[in-house]
Amino acid sequence: MINPFEILETINMIEKENLDIRTITMGISLKNCVDPDIDRACEKVYNKITTYAKDLVKVGKDIEKQYGIPIINKRISVTPISHLVDALDEKTTANCVKLAKALDRAAKTVGVNFIGGYSALVHKGFTEGEMALINSIPEALSSTDIVCSSVNVGTTKAGINMDAVKIMGEIIKKAAELTKDSGGFACAKLVVFTNAVEDNPFMAGAFHGEGEGECVINVGVSGPGVVKCALEQVKGEPFDVVADTIKKTAFKITRMGQLVAKEASKRLNVPFGIVDLSLAPTPAVGDSVAYILEEMGLEKCGTHGTTAALALLNDAVKKGGVMASSHVGGLSGAFIPVSEDAGMIAATKCGALSLEKLEAMTCVCSVGLDMIVIPGDTDSSTISAIIADESAIGMVNTKTTAVRIIPAPGKNVGDVVEFGGLLGSGPVMSVKNYSSCEFINRGGRIPAPLQALKN
């Protein structure tokens, strides 16, 4: 039986503590859209997306209205587009960009916020189509509005493809330059992964993986403000109590996410996939992962103790979430995107949070270096080296790590780049002045760690 107190508690979470469903993401397989002719392939992609997702936005709004639960984004993820490029007669960057524009046009037709899957998985090597797609990323992202791209360059089983790492540093620089008027905005739609997951509903890294079905509904929940408010009630208590409080709160947040996911699944007649229970912050004051860490007793996020606090938070969120749903997936944990988190922005501006500290924090949280703005004149080899460091963390720790980094053209340390909306504003962070060029130019593959031999 529903407890009236729980109803009031949920209403309070929504109205005062920034609880929301961050995204309903429909995953769509494009495997049957392959065609050697680029125009026919684009037509198939457009028709399939607009057929399957035609009611996605309406259903999201209807659920939001009926249950009073904010659903911030409605999104689509698709099969990595490199699969379609491999089937083309002419595997050119121009044809890749045509596919990107077909995705953009279809996504705008159905009214979603973003579409992800302009992707390639190259952790062990490249096909001709994958190389063409990667080379096309700067033009594709600068000539479309809501297409998101991701490239997986490493796994625990395969090691790290350092040739891909080098290329991605160069691709990020080119993408930034092509969108210099918007602060390098194309890079905000591009993620470099290690151990990418197939059912991630969050952008910019979402794609519909090889092991997924024809179509699926995945939901991403978010509630940093709710967790912070819960911790305010246990100020000064031992960490056992802190962990227990977070678990109970994550349970409630995830149950709400599962309710929305199942309702959307039923109304769209599409199978329910997973709930991703990641704590995804926003630039709104009170909706910050950094503020949760500070509520545990840190004067400022980034000071000594931050990594330990984040480890506790990430683990407790997972433990609470898996008790609430049998279908938890995606990334699930705590995100630390700098430009999208008011507390992270403040910590960066005052010097408490550095790139090196963020890298340490990524060892114990979901994903990795996210929405980091660096000086526009940063060398591509330095960007590649940052990707390599983060990939190594993911490979050795058997976890998903990622880099979404923006070398903002014309900007220097201390400047602030405004992206707007959920992407917020990014303070430009300093990078090391010493070269990594010779290291990156070695190429080849960093071998998989010993634990890759588990079987």
Side-chain angles (χ1 to χ4, degrees), residues 229-252:
C229 289
L231 291 184
E232 289 174 359
Q233 309 307 311
V234 294
K235 195 177 292 290
E237 295 286 348
F239 284 114
D240 316 69
V241 177
V242 171
D244 197 44
T245 301
I246 295 171
K247 283 191 291 183
K248 290 176 180 176
T249 307
F251 177 89
K252 296 170 186 174

Side-chain angles (χ1 to χ4, degrees), residues 235-316:
K235 195 177 292 290
E237 295 286 348
F239 284 114
D240 316 69
V241 177
V242 171
D244 197 44
T245 301
I246 295 171
K247 283 191 291 183
K248 290 176 180 176
T249 307
F251 177 89
K252 296 170 186 174
I253 294 170
T254 307
R255 292 296 282 183
M256 188 186 77
Q258 178 160 289
L259 167 69
V260 170
K262 287 191 170 181
E263 191 64 27
S265 171
K266 182 174 69 175
R267 296 187 187 193
L268 291 164
N269 194 29
V270 171
F272 161 47
I274 57 94
V275 176
D276 186 320
L277 49 98
S278 296
L279 292 181
T282 72
V285 175
D287 199 24
S288 161
V289 169
Y291 291 159
I292 298 173
L293 305 180
E294 291 170 8
E295 187 60 39
M296 291 188 202
L298 304 172
E299 182 180 357
K300 208 68 174 175
C301 177
T303 192
H304 306 295
T306 299
T307 305
L310 184 58
L312 183 154
L313 173 63
N314 206 58
D315 181 65

Side-chain angles (χ1 to χ4, degrees), residues 107-279:
K108 288 176 178 176
T109 297
V110 298
V112 295
N113 305 93
F114 286 108
I115 183 166
Y118 196 74
S119 307
L121 310 179
V122 295
H123 39 273
K124 213 167 182 178
F126 306 92
T127 65
E128 188 180 347
E130 287 165 344
M131 185 59 78
L133 182 131
I134 289 172
N135 286 330
S136 76
I137 287 173
E139 184 181 350
L141 295 187
S142 61
S143 61
T144 59
D145 297 314
I146 55 178
V147 172
C148 293
S149 177
S150 60
V151 177
N152 193 70
V153 298
T155 68
T156 298
K157 288 283 188 182
I160 303 171
N161 182 348
M162 291 300 290
D163 293 320
V165 169
K166 178 184 178 182
I167 291 168
M168 289 312 299
E170 297 165 355
I171 292 297
I172 289 168
K173 283 282 288 185
K174 290 176 185 175
E177 189 59 33
L178 286 177
T179 51
K180 60 184 177 182
D181 292 341
S182 56
F185 180 70
C187 299
K189 301 187 292 175
L190 173 59
V191 180
V192 183
F193 275 120
T194 292
N195 290 324
V197 296
E198 297 188 325
D199 54 4
N200 167 25
F202 286 101
M203 298 298 169
F207 63 88
H208 190 68
E210 186 67 27
E212 297 289 312
E214 180 70 9
C215 191
V216 70
I217 289 291
N218 297 320
V219 164
V221 298
S222 181
V226 179
V227 175
K228 181 186 180 296
C229 289
L231 291 184
E232 289 174 359
Q233 309 307 311
V234 294
K235 195 177 292 290
E237 295 286 348
F239 284 114
D240 316 69
V241 177
V242 171
D244 197 44
T245 301
I246 295 171
K247 283 191 291 183
K248 290 176 180 176
T249 307
F251 177 89
K252 296 170 186 174
I253 294 170
T254 307
R255 292 296 282 183
M256 188 186 77
Q258 178 160 289
L259 167 69
V260 170
K262 287 191 170 181
E263 191 64 27
S265 171
K266 182 174 69 175
R267 296 187 187 193
L268 291 164
N269 194 29
V270 171
F272 161 47
I274 57 94
V275 176
D276 186 320
L277 49 98
S278 296
L279 292 181

Side-chain angles (χ1 to χ4, degrees), residues 317-337:
V317 165
K318 291 176 187 288
K319 287 175 177 173
V322 296
M323 290 297 292
S325 175
S326 298
H327 298 284
V328 170
L331 299 165
S332 290
F335 288 174
I336 51 171

